[in-house]
């Protein structure tokens, strides 16, 4: 299989994630779209590593997955806190936490 096909899939996944972040208002869906964008970037890193014949892209993808796992823990904790206080997971309600 041609490695450029992986780049096309990566671009498609990133585009779907970016549209989801811009269009959706639910915090959990926005969070999942951000994770989709991170996975698209990981696919690009691994593809370029395969094209160039080195492991640098795979190492970067591994550290990106570690950071994404930490982001999931913190992000879901914030979303659960907003939901418990406002009974809504809407992104518009997050601005009400300033009080």
């Amino acid at each position: 299989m041609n490695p450029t096909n992986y780049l096309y899939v990566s671009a498609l996944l990133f585009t779907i994630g970016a549209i989801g972040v811009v269009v959706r208002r639910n915090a959990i869906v926005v969070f999942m779209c951000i994770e989709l964008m991170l996975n698209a970037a990981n696919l690009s890193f691994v593809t370029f590593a395969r094209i160039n014949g080195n492991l640098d892209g795979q190492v970067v993808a591994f550290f990106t997955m570690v950071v994404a796992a930490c982001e999931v823990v913190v992000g879901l904790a914030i979303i659960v806190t907003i939901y418990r206080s406002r009974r809504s997971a809407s992104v518009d309600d997050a601005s009400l936490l300033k009080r």
Side-chain angles (χ1 to χ4, degrees):
M1 190 165 177
N2 194 359
T4 57
N5 292 336
Y6 292 113
L7 294 176
Y8 292 141
V9 170
S10 174
L12 180 67
L13 288 175
F14 193 87
T15 303
I16 291 170
I19 290 171
V21 167
V22 172
V23 173
R24 301 299 295 205
R25 303 307 310 150
N26 189 347
I28 295 175
V29 175
V30 170
F31 196 63
M32 287 184 348
C33 290
I34 291 171
E35 292 296 323
L36 187 65
M37 291 167 59
L38 284 173
N39 285 329
N42 284 340
L43 182 60
S44 294
F45 285 138
V46 171
T47 302
F48 284 122
R50 181 177 176 201
I51 290 171
N52 293 331
N54 58 10
L55 295 176
D56 293 342
Q58 293 178 3
V59 171
V60 171
F62 175 74
F63 283 116
T64 304
M65 285 188 277
V66 169
V67 169
C70 296
E71 174 199 1
V72 166
V73 171
V74 173
L76 285 178
I78 292 171
I79 291 171
V80 167
T81 303
I82 291 172
Y83 182 78
R84 283 185 182 172
S85 65
R86 303 287 179 202
R87 293 290 178 213
S88 173
S90 177
V91 177
D92 298 329
D93 291 340
S95 64
L96 298 175
L97 291 176
K98 293 179 183 176
R99 293 192 260 150

